[in-house]
Amino acid sequence: AWTEFYEFNDSDLRAARQAIEEVTANLQQENQIPWEFIHGLMQMVFYGNRINKIHDNNVLMAYVKENFNLKVINGKVMELKNKIKIPVSSRLQDYINATENQFQHEDSPLLFGLPENVAISWEIKQSKSLLQKLRHAQLETNEGTEIDQNRWHTTVTSILGLWKRLNAQNTLHITAAIQPENTDDPIEQALILEYTHAVHIVSLK
């Protein structure tokens, strides 16, 4: 994994593609492709010139050698990490189908070489951020007793938005408001009231 963020962009991609096209334009056979020269261009000119750490340079070269070689050109090795297969095709729809069939809506940490518990770390970080915002949320009053509703709404809107994003995989926050039903079972009645209250809280706008 990279040790820091690098601003690679579309201009780098276009320049690298143009250089490869010029290098390989007059070649008659695939085995004539100067792979070491292409690897050197990627490392020293198009991408590596922004990298100043040896580890990150090694990461770059690992990606370059994995994706720029004769086996990839021949279509013999068309597989990404975790057995994600790349179709050997020139049709856009084949790639769209492969993407839809192999990738989940929620990215798995393993897909990026990260430990499985990284999601827990992210949730803890978001929770701490939310708690910090709650601690700073203060009710300002108007004339000493009345709550300034506009000020309160502005203060907590971002918090409520974050709460809904954290519950994106849950349908509770979009559940229609319900009226609690009466029952003779006190435990069931308590659960119904708690559920109704939970729906009301997470549905706040």
Side-chain angles (χ1 to χ4, degrees), residues 134 137 139 151-162 205:
L134 287 173
L139 289 176
R151 180 65 177 175
W152 171 249
H153 181 271
T154 302
T155 303
V156 301
T157 294
S158 60
I159 299 175
L160 294 177
L162 174 60
K205 297 182 179 179

Side-chain angles (χ1 to χ4, degrees), residues 15-42 45-46 68:
R17 184 188 65 183
Q18 182 177 355
I20 293 176
E21 289 176 349
E22 292 180 358
V23 169
T24 59
N26 298 321
L27 299 181
Q28 301 298 324
Q29 297 180 355
E30 295 175 347
N31 58 10
Q32 295 178 339
I33 298 176
W35 292 112
E36 291 187 5
F37 180 71
I38 292 176
H39 295 167
L41 288 176
M42 298 295 180
V45 180
F46 301 115
F68 293 89

Side-chain angles (χ1 to χ4, degrees), residues 1-8 47-60 63:
W2 306 99
T3 61
E4 60 182 83
F5 175 77
Y6 296 98
E7 295 185 358
F8 302 134
Y47 294 101
N49 61 335
R50 300 184 184 181
I51 297 176
N52 52 20
K53 293 186 177 181
I54 296 177
H55 173 79
D56 289 344
N57 186 70
N58 292 336
V59 172
L60 171 65
Y63 282 127

